[in-house]
Amino acid sequence: TQLLEQSPQFLSIQEGENLTVYCNSSSVFSSLQWYRQEPGEGPVLLVTVVTGGEVKKLKRLTFQFGDARKDSSLHITAAQTGDTGLYLCAGVPSNSGYALNFGKGTSLLVTP
Amino acid sequence: KAGVTQTPRYLIKTRGQQVTLSCSPISGHRSVSWYQQTPGQGLQFLFEYFSETQRNKGNFPGRFSGRQFSNSRSEMNVSTLELGDSALYLCASSQGSSYNSPLHFGNGTRLTVT
């Protein structure tokens, strides 16, 4: 059973477009993290959201944590080819220890 | 500061063999976690070690084992390899002081079982 469901699974857009990817769960999470993974490399942490309703901005990326701490979204404004990669959300369920659970990811391709 | 180092980068093994993968964490990081990544299942948690003790374990068979040394370096072992064990094995380190500690991943070991 996948604790974190990400959608869409694949996304192909052109440079300059906006996009949103979603990370949903029926479980409550203590915090959620977003990572980006490029081919041949390990995931790299983008942001951690901790408080329900929290919004964090990282340049053109906006991350939101749901009020109930069960979901999160990542919005990219004016996508660039350098944004191409696999976006993963990960969280520690409130009723567990330190095991970070990952969603299957959204594979984003940004073309010129 | 050097990142997380995993060796080897690529491995090809035959079904039934065993394999040992190595991970050197970032200096000062006491927690090491291992994940298996496949296209179908994504990243699945194997186990986590903190100060030489296994603190968490995922739902993998006993053929998958690990250990952590006093210098925080970690190894994972897979015995009696099966074709389905072909995957990218990722190691991540963190300071481990809380669940909010960010994970720093290595670039993985790509294991192919034939």
Side-chain angles (χ1 to χ4, degrees):
Chain A
T1 305
Q2 199 74 26
L3 274 180
L4 287 164
E5 298 287 344
Q6 289 190 244
S7 61
Q9 191 176 354
F10 300 99
L11 194 54
S12 180
I13 61 171
Q14 288 191 310
E15 223 172 7
E17 292 185 20
N18 302 330
L19 67 117
T20 302
V21 299
Y22 301 92
C23 174
N24 296 298
S25 177
S26 57
S27 299
V28 176
F29 284 82
S30 309
S31 66
L32 277 180
Q33 301 175 13
W34 284 90
Y35 291 79
R36 181 171 73 202
Q37 184 178 21
E38 299 185 31
E41 298 182 7
V44 175
L45 178 73
L46 295 173
V47 77
T48 301
V49 285
V50 180
T51 306
E54 182 177 4
V55 176
K56 276 192 174 178
K57 290 194 175 183
L58 189 68
K59 298 183 181 177
R60 295 176 293 102
L61 278 60
T62 302
F63 303 85
Q64 189 162 5
F65 198 13
D67 291 338
R69 306 205 324 270
K70 292 183 178 182
D71 56 85
S72 181
S73 63
L74 157 61
H75 182 80
I76 300 179
T77 303
Q80 299 176 356
T81 55
D83 296 327
T84 292
L86 179 67
Y87 289 82
L88 297 154
C89 67
V92 180
S94 293
N95 61 352
S96 87
Y98 292 81
L100 198 63
N101 290 267
F102 279 81
K104 289 187 179 181
T106 292
S107 182
L108 172 65
L109 174 64
V110 182
T111 56
Chain B
K1 213 176 198 182
V4 177
T5 304
Q6 290 189 246
T7 56
R9 281 300 305 271
Y10 302 94
L11 263 178
I12 300 176
K13 290 285 187 178
T14 303
R15 191 172 49 184
Q17 289 186 313
Q18 67 95 26
V19 67
T20 299
L21 312 182
S22 181
C23 173
S24 293
I26 291 173
S27 178
H29 285 191
R30 297 165 64 188
S31 168
V32 174
S33 300
W34 288 90
Y35 288 84
Q36 180 195 68
Q37 186 176 29
T38 58
Q41 298 300 318
L43 271 94
Q44 294 194 290
F45 174 73
L46 281 156
F47 27 68
E48 185 230 357
Y49 287 86
F50 183 84
S51 295
E52 301 180 67
T53 301
Q54 189 179 85
R55 192 162 63 173
N56 276 289
K57 188 176 188 307
N59 296 322
F60 277 81
R63 301 185 296 107
F64 292 81
S65 63
R67 58 178 176 169
Q68 186 180 32
F69 302 95
S70 58
N71 61 358
S72 292
R73 191 177 70 85
S74 177
E75 289 181 347
M76 69 162 281
N77 184 77
V78 188
S79 62
T80 319
L81 284 166
E82 300 177 0
L83 296 179
D85 297 333
S86 293
L88 180 67
Y89 290 88
L90 290 162
C91 163
S93 74
S94 75
Q95 292 181 332
S97 55
S98 81
Y99 52 75
N100 286 334
S101 297
L103 291 185
H104 299 263
F105 283 88
N107 288 332
T109 293
R110 171 76 61 186
L111 173 65
T112 302
V113 182
T114 62

